[in-house]
Amino acid sequence: MCINQHVPELGEFLKACRAQLSPRTVGLPEFGAPRRVPGLRREEVARLAGISTYSYARLEQGCAPVPRPVLAALVRVLHLDDNQRDHLFALAATCECAPRRRPAQKVQPQLRRLLDELSGTPALVLGRRMDILAWNAMAAALLTDFERVPDKKRNYAWLLFTDPAIRELYLDWRTIARTCVTHLRVEAVKCPGDRELTALVGELSVTDADFRQWWAGRPMPGLRVGTNRLRHPIAGDLTLDWDSLTCTADPAQQLVVLTAEPGTSSHDGLRFLASWTADPYQRARDATA
């Protein structure tokens, strides 16, 4: 049986979209009382869409369902492109029926064994919503001690946007972060009833202005391979190529591996990091230095 749902992600998306519009863009005068927030006011969007301010306010509160004619009007008023339109309709679809809770993911045993074999290569397994399901010692040494991260916050996108140390680690943080937003948007379209994903996007939208802007903006193309530049406190500057491999037993699990070109300083840096990781006495000396 269908029931009304509260979808905060829908409200965050609408607020971010109207914040990017100026009155001049939609043909409204810009004189009058100073605006306390950027973009259009709620009542202006409501008037242009032909609905009451109360009805639109309910939408920004994440309340549903949303009639398709109203969605079409909002696409026109907010000047949404095709990708943004599809995302709006996907969010609205979560309101039509009660979402089903999906079972928690566990890393596939063969991926766990493969991680343990990659003693000199940073690697981790990402699940739905970019949850970090497993990692090896090199990934922990390169990125962060995942054991110290609470289970519910052990998510790559969450750490990338909220952990200052990881933000400083990536010299090309903005590119990596926008790629994460793209992955989450693809997941949202594939599984619009995912409560955990809705909660994650809502929290990041409130926590980080960049995430809020990129989530509402034009999406970047999705990537399955790429290059990261890092400034590591132990291994120094690293340029690492990353690749993601899909698990056949569970296509929602991705093995992400980071490697360096042999003969480069980055390759030497990874070898040094591997030796440092294998030597607990050296780690203890570095920690007390």
Side-chain angles (χ1 to χ4, degrees), residues 101-108 128-129 131 133 196 250 253:
R101 183 176 295 276
R102 294 188 288 178
Q105 280 184 296
K106 294 184 178 180
V107 63
Q108 291 291 317
R128 297 188 297 261
R129 305 177 293 270
D131 292 334
L133 304 182
E196 288 81 3
D250 181 0
Q253 296 189 27

Side-chain angles (χ1 to χ4, degrees), residues 17-275:
C17 287
R18 71 176 171 89
Q20 294 183 353
L21 291 176
S22 68
R24 180 180 301 175
T25 303
V26 296
L28 294 176
E30 295 193 72
F31 53 82
R35 294 176 181 266
R36 292 179 296 176
V37 295
L40 300 180
R41 299 186 177 100
R42 282 182 174 179
E43 56 268 24
E44 292 171 336
V45 175
R47 184 168 67 252
L48 292 169
I51 60 177
S52 68
T53 301
Y54 172 78
S55 296
Y56 180 75
R58 293 275 292 168
L59 296 182
E60 286 204 355
Q61 292 166 4
C63 298
V66 189
R68 291 186 69 85
V70 172
L71 290 175
L74 291 174
V75 170
R76 172 180 52 81
V77 171
L78 297 174
H79 292 214
L80 303 186
D81 61 26
D82 290 343
N83 289 325
Q84 291 171 319
R85 174 195 177 280
D86 292 344
H87 185 61
L88 175 63
F89 274 77
L91 291 177
T94 70
C95 311
E96 296 177 357
C97 295
R100 294 178 295 175
R101 183 176 295 276
R102 294 188 288 178
Q105 280 184 296
K106 294 184 178 180
V107 63
Q108 291 291 317
Q110 62 271 34
L111 290 185
R112 176 70 271 177
R113 292 193 296 268
L114 182 56
L115 282 177
D116 293 337
E117 291 293 329
L118 296 173
S119 58
T121 302
L124 63 163
V125 177
L126 299 182
R128 297 188 297 261
R129 305 177 293 270
M130 305 194 79
D131 292 334
I132 301 171
L133 304 182
W135 60 92
N136 63 7
M138 278 291 285
L142 179 69
L143 300 175
T144 190
D145 185 356
F146 297 109
E147 285 286 355
R148 296 188 179 184
V149 180
D151 289 349
K152 293 185 178 180
K153 299 300 184 184
R154 200 175 288 159
N155 177 278
Y156 187 75
W158 174 264
L159 293 174
L160 196 64
F161 279 96
T162 64
D163 189 324
I166 291 184
R167 185 183 288 251
E168 292 181 7
L169 176 67
Y170 285 101
L171 297 178
D172 49 358
W173 178 87
R174 293 179 67 85
T175 299
I176 304 302
R178 294 201 68 175
T179 300
C180 281
V181 173
T182 297
H183 282 294
L184 292 180
R185 293 180 70 158
V186 171
E187 183 72 12
V189 172
K190 289 193 301 184
C191 302
D194 190 323
R195 294 177 179 176
E196 288 81 3
L197 179 59
T198 298
L200 172 65
V201 172
E203 290 177 6
L204 288 176
S205 296
V206 172
T207 303
D208 191 273
D210 285 328
F211 183 92
R212 185 165 57 251
Q213 176 184 350
W214 295 335
W215 185 262
R218 187 183 302 274
M220 290 179 60
L223 298 176
R224 295 185 62 84
V225 296
T227 301
N228 293 344
R229 296 185 303 114
L230 305 94
R231 177 156 294 161
H232 194 271
I234 301 298
D237 287 0
L238 301 171
T239 299
L240 304 179
D241 298 321
W242 65 270
D243 202 341
S244 59
L245 309 175
T246 301
C247 177
T248 303
D250 181 0
Q253 296 189 27
Q254 305 285 328
L255 174 67
V256 180
V257 181
L258 297 102
T259 60
E261 182 73 22
T264 64
S265 59
S266 296
H267 188 260
D268 293 339
L270 281 186
R271 293 178 62 184
F272 175 75
L273 187 62
S275 64

